[in-house]
Amino acid sequence: MHTAAGVEASLPIRSDTDLVWVRQHVRQAAARLGFGLVDQTKLVTAASELARNTLVHGGGGRMDVSHVVTDGVSGLRLAFSDSGPGIPDLDRALSDGYTSGDGLGMGMGGARRLVHDFEVETVPGSGTTVRVTSWVGRPPRPRREV
């Protein structure tokens, strides 16, 4: 039996050390909820990219972690929030191959492919919140080309 104990958290993202804590917490939380190793790695990779974006482009912020359940399926929801300059061209930032050169080289589009649900709220001059959710045991949906 997997448990949600120790999953919920709000972690600061203000330094490279905080990025390490984000990755460790996401891996441990995913393991507690019963994610397999491959799905843990996908979620940690997406979280790492999004946390780095929060630090580098947003000037720092936080990651809020929550356990969610829909139709009896457990999931892990991560919300990365900052009060930075926002994303002036969201479509470009989400496009394949676009990277600022500071992260893992996968960009937000790559992070989006690693999770089941992906949502961005950004207001130029007021910050950005990126919410991602992955579900235990659920295969990824094919991405539609837009």
Side-chain angles (χ1 to χ4, degrees), residues 4 11 36 56 66 80 100:
L11 301 175
V56 172
S66 55
F80 299 86
S100 64

Side-chain angles (χ1 to χ4, degrees), residues 74-95:
S74 283
L76 192 60
R77 178 164 296 143
L78 311 175
F80 299 86
S81 303
D82 66 60
S83 298
I87 302 170
D89 188 344
L90 185 58
D91 289 337
R92 182 172 178 225
L94 289 171
S95 66

Side-chain angles (χ1 to χ4, degrees), residues 58-72:
R62 73 177 195 280
M63 175 187 72
D64 294 307
V65 182
S66 55
H67 173 232
V68 292
V69 178
T70 299
D71 297 328

